[in-house]
Amino acid sequence: MNKPVSKSFPFLLSCRKNLKTAALLAVDTGDALASELGAQLALVGSQVDTAKEVDAITAADVKSVAGRLLKGKLALATIGPNAPYLDDLV
């Protein structure tokens, strides 16, 4: 079930690279890095290797999460003077 991502899933490979880049950029400063490491220690109890965790994501994992999200009830939130009333939408 947890097959490694091959060339048949180039989009997943690209997403992994983007996610790892975003994670590294999020801890670009010393303060941000200290905050992230502190949160990891508080929540998980140890330092997390984010790149390793991202690399472990399989196509089946993505499909599973997408399935759960799409089965849920949809919601809508709007703010502003031109926001429609619920009665106007259904």
Side-chain angles (χ1 to χ4, degrees):
M1 181 108 183
N2 286 333
K3 297 178 184 174
V5 177
S6 66
K7 293 178 183 177
S8 60
F9 295 104
F11 184 71
L12 185 54
L13 293 172
S14 174
C15 289
R16 283 180 174 175
K17 289 178 186 176
N18 290 339
L19 185 55
K20 289 189 279 188
T21 300
L24 287 172
L25 288 173
V27 293
D28 195 27
T29 65
D31 289 344
L33 179 60
S35 177
E36 175 64 21
L37 291 175
Q40 289 178 9
L41 289 173
L43 297 173
V44 182
S46 64
Q47 184 178 350
V48 177
D49 184 352
T50 304
K52 186 176 180 182
E53 295 291 325
V54 169
D55 284 337
I57 297 171
T58 64
D61 295 332
V62 174
K63 184 177 179 181
S64 172
V65 170
R68 286 187 305 214
L69 290 174
L70 294 175
K71 286 181 186 176
K73 210 171 184 184
L74 297 178
L76 172 70
T78 61
I79 298 175
N82 298 323
Y85 289 100
L86 179 60
D87 296 340
D88 298 335
L89 296 174
V90 289

